[in-house]
Each structure stands twice: as structure tokens, then as C-alpha cells.
Amino acid sequence: MKLTRQSWKHFLIGIGVPVLLVSSSAPAAVTEKDKVRQPRNIYELSYSFRHTFAKILSNDEMRLYERHTPKEIRELNPALYARISVDVKRWTDEWIQHILTTGDPIPEQKLEGANRLAVKVEGILKQYFEARGWPYRPMRVVFIPPRAFQDDRDRGKVTGGMFIPFYPDAFFATVDWTFPIETLLVHESLHFNAEERPFGAALVEGVTDVASRHLVRKYDLVSAGDVRRVDSYPTERKGVEFVLDRLMEKSGRSRDEAVDMLLGAYLTGDQNGLTSFFGAEAWGQVLRISHYPRSWRPGNIDKALEGTIVPVIEVKPIRPSPN
């Protein structure tokens, strides 16, 4: 079933995504010789934001946009955050309309099944969060066709879910992908609910990946074999597994409890539980190297937890991935 403009609007409202269907006076996300062309996939949409903002932001504003996360920009320059968010939301809503009303849509039966599964995962996560006293943001997922996740610039990408910075209304996912949709929904929901700071990109992705694997097994959403077949974030995950092993060793806690402690620090930003076992200085060293992905190795993490100052490979720290 192809979605018309009106049915697309009702579809988004039905899954809880606010809709803004207005014409933009700002530059379109992608232009070719002054002719508007909608991005072909979600990655091109993301690339197009930087291209457009480079034309309309001042040099100082662009530096903030490139070097800081949305949360940091909201604190440093609330007016800039508001301007960027309005434009990103407008362009993204227009792109969603385009991607859902052109080309081959997701078959209706598969879309209904994905939405039912999202409701099931939502209920499990809501109870899990509430039992631990963590704030929970209701899941808002927009299912888009698999072609929207096929990146011509990198055909090796297997991302089936994505967060768009400055677009806080929802995350995006697809069906018929290379890994279980249950794992994808849990993974993106954890990102959606995370405080993240002061975690660096390596810890963000490692904790999200390890925790999502743990939860889909804990609640019997995915078989152990299907979880093992997904080889996402291997380096980040290996480092986090090392942290969990040391945490269990030092605290005498079970793996379940250790995952909860690390995940809670990621979701809420409260590091007190971890610093009580590792020490503030040692855990601070782990947080520091997590901002340098090429230094995120078990050997370096071990040295950091022993209180050694670990030299990092001096490359520019990167933002946590939206994926």
C-alpha cells in the first residue's frame, strides 16, 4: 500500500511522531542546480545537513555544530540549538514523506508485524526501566523501507536503525535486515533514552550493544544463536566485556547486576556506583580513553583501572554515533 500525503500524516500521528507539514523558507536539504532533490537514503540525509548548515551558519556557529553534541549545544547556545532543530525536523519530516510515498513501500503485513513487535518490546523495556527507577521515554519508531538504509558510499554498512541528531521525536528502523528486529529495537531504544555523557563513543556503542544483547536474551526475545550471529561493534563490545568482568570480580556481583550498574550509569549519567568500586580517578581514566576509539583496548582499560594514566592516540575525539 502506497501512502498518500494524508495517510502518511495519519501513520506518523498513529505511532506518536509529531508532524510538521509546512513549506520551508530555509534551503532544502539537498539541491542540484537550484532544483530540490530529496536524499536517496538516511545517510545522504545526514550528510546533507552539514552541507546545508555550512552555507547558512556563521563560522562560530558551524564550529559548535561540528564539535559538540546536540545536548552540549543546547547548553552552550540555546538559540542555535533551537534554529538547527527546527530546520532538521522540517527537512526530516519532508524526507519521511518522500521515502514513504515513493518507490516500493514496506509490505503492509510486515509493517503491521513490526509495529506489534515494537509494542511488545516497549512494554518489556518500560517495566525494566521502572523496576530500576530509571526515567523512560516511550518508544517512537518510524519504520522505513530497507532501501533507505542502503548507502551508496559504503555498501558494507549493515545499519538497520538510526538516530538523527537534532531530531528528538523518533528513531528510524527497518525490516528484512541482517539482524533480528528485536535486537535493533532494544538497541535504538537504549540510545533514545540515554544521557550518554560523560561516556565517549566507544563506551556508548559498546554498552548499548552489550546491553541490548543481554536484554533480548533475558526476556527471551531472540535465540542465543541469532544473537551470536550478529557481529556488531566488536571492538567496542570487547572493551565493555572487559569492564564487566572486572566489575564482577571487584564487586562480587552477578553479570545481570553488573550490566544493570553499567547500563544505569549510561542511561542516567550517574557514575557514583562505578566510582565506588573502581575509584573516581581510575574510572575517570576509562571515561577519558573511551573518547578515543583507537585507544579503546582491553590492555589500556586494564591499565586505566589500575590507576595508570594511559597515553591515547591523539586523534580528534568523535561524537557518539547516532546509530
Side-chain angles (χ1 to χ4, degrees), residues 198-203 286-293 296 315-318:
F199 283 23
L203 258 176
V286 174
L287 293 175
R288 183 176 71 90
I289 63 175
S290 76
H291 288 270
Y292 296 85
W296 184 250
V315 293
K316 182 181 177 182
I318 62 172

Side-chain angles (χ1 to χ4, degrees), residues 51 55 181 198 214 237-238 246 269 293 299 307:
H51 173 78
K55 295 181 177 180
I181 191 171
H214 174 78
R237 181 162 28 101
K238 188 174 182 180
R246 291 295 300 273

Side-chain angles (χ1 to χ4, degrees), residues 7-274:
S7 63
W8 168 84
K9 180 177 179 181
H10 289 313
F11 167 73
L12 287 181
I13 293 173
I15 61 172
V17 179
V19 179
L20 178 62
L21 296 178
V22 298
S23 298
S24 172
S25 59
V30 178
T31 61
E32 285 183 345
K33 297 180 180 178
D34 297 326
K35 181 179 179 181
V36 175
R37 177 178 67 78
Q38 284 291 342
R40 292 166 294 186
N41 54 60
I42 199 166
Y43 312 104
E44 193 173 276
L45 175 69
S46 184
Y47 303 144
S48 73
F49 294 150
R50 186 187 181 284
H51 173 78
T52 304
F53 283 131
K55 295 181 177 180
I56 63 177
L57 297 181
S58 70
N59 290 338
D60 287 343
E61 290 171 338
M62 193 64 190
R63 274 192 289 272
L64 280 175
Y65 173 73
E66 291 181 320
R67 297 178 184 180
H68 295 273
T69 66
K71 289 179 181 178
E72 290 169 341
I73 295 174
R74 185 167 53 194
E75 294 176 1
L76 293 168
N77 191 331
L80 176 63
Y81 173 85
R83 284 169 50 206
I84 291 174
S85 295
V86 166
D87 281 341
V88 168
K89 184 183 186 327
R90 182 182 299 120
W91 297 331
T92 302
D93 284 343
E94 290 171 355
W95 178 78
I96 295 171
Q97 179 192 13
H98 168 77
I99 210 72
L100 291 179
T101 56
T102 61
D104 296 327
I106 299 174
E108 187 172 357
Q109 188 174 359
K110 287 187 176 180
L111 183 59
E112 289 175 354
N115 281 319
R116 284 195 300 271
L117 188 55
V119 171
K120 178 181 178 181
V121 172
E122 164 97 276
I124 289 172
L125 288 179
K126 187 173 185 292
Q127 288 184 357
Y128 174 76
F129 275 58
E130 289 178 349
R132 288 152 183 80
W134 300 337
Y136 181 74
R137 295 173 64 196
M139 181 191 298
R140 297 175 184 175
V141 54
V142 177
F143 289 105
I144 55 180
R147 60 186 163 83
F149 282 98
Q150 295 169 354
D151 188 1
D152 292 336
R153 300 187 185 197
D154 184 358
R155 294 182 181 275
K157 275 186 179 173
V158 293
T159 302
M162 191 169 174
F163 224 5
I164 294 180
F166 297 98
Y167 189 87
D169 292 335
F171 63 84
F172 299 84
T174 191
V175 297
D176 289 338
W177 211 240
T178 56
F179 43 83
I181 191 171
E182 296 89 341
T183 306
L184 169 64
L185 290 172
V186 174
H187 184 106
E188 296 302 330
S189 292
L190 294 182
H191 274 313
F192 194 57
N193 278 277
E195 169 61 31
E196 295 188 352
R197 291 182 305 173
F199 283 23
L203 258 176
V204 165
E205 292 302 345
V207 170
T208 304
D209 194 77
V210 168
S212 60
R213 291 166 180 268
H214 174 78
L215 290 172
V216 296
R217 289 298 302 128
K218 178 182 178 73
Y219 293 103
D220 201 25
L221 292 169
V222 177
S223 72
D226 283 343
V227 170
R228 284 194 297 270
R229 278 191 286 273
V230 178
D231 190 29
S232 52
Y233 301 104
T235 301
E236 294 86 347
R237 181 162 28 101
K238 188 174 182 180
V240 168
E241 291 288 359
F242 183 86
V243 171
L244 287 173
D245 287 343
R246 291 295 300 273
L247 183 56
M248 289 186 285
E249 176 187 315
K250 279 184 171 289
S251 68
R253 299 194 176 201
S254 68
R255 179 177 173 84
D256 240 31
E257 293 169 327
V259 170
D260 278 359
M261 181 177 288
L262 190 56
L263 181 59
Y266 167 57
L267 293 171
T268 67
D270 183 355
Q271 308 300 306
N272 289 333
L274 294 169

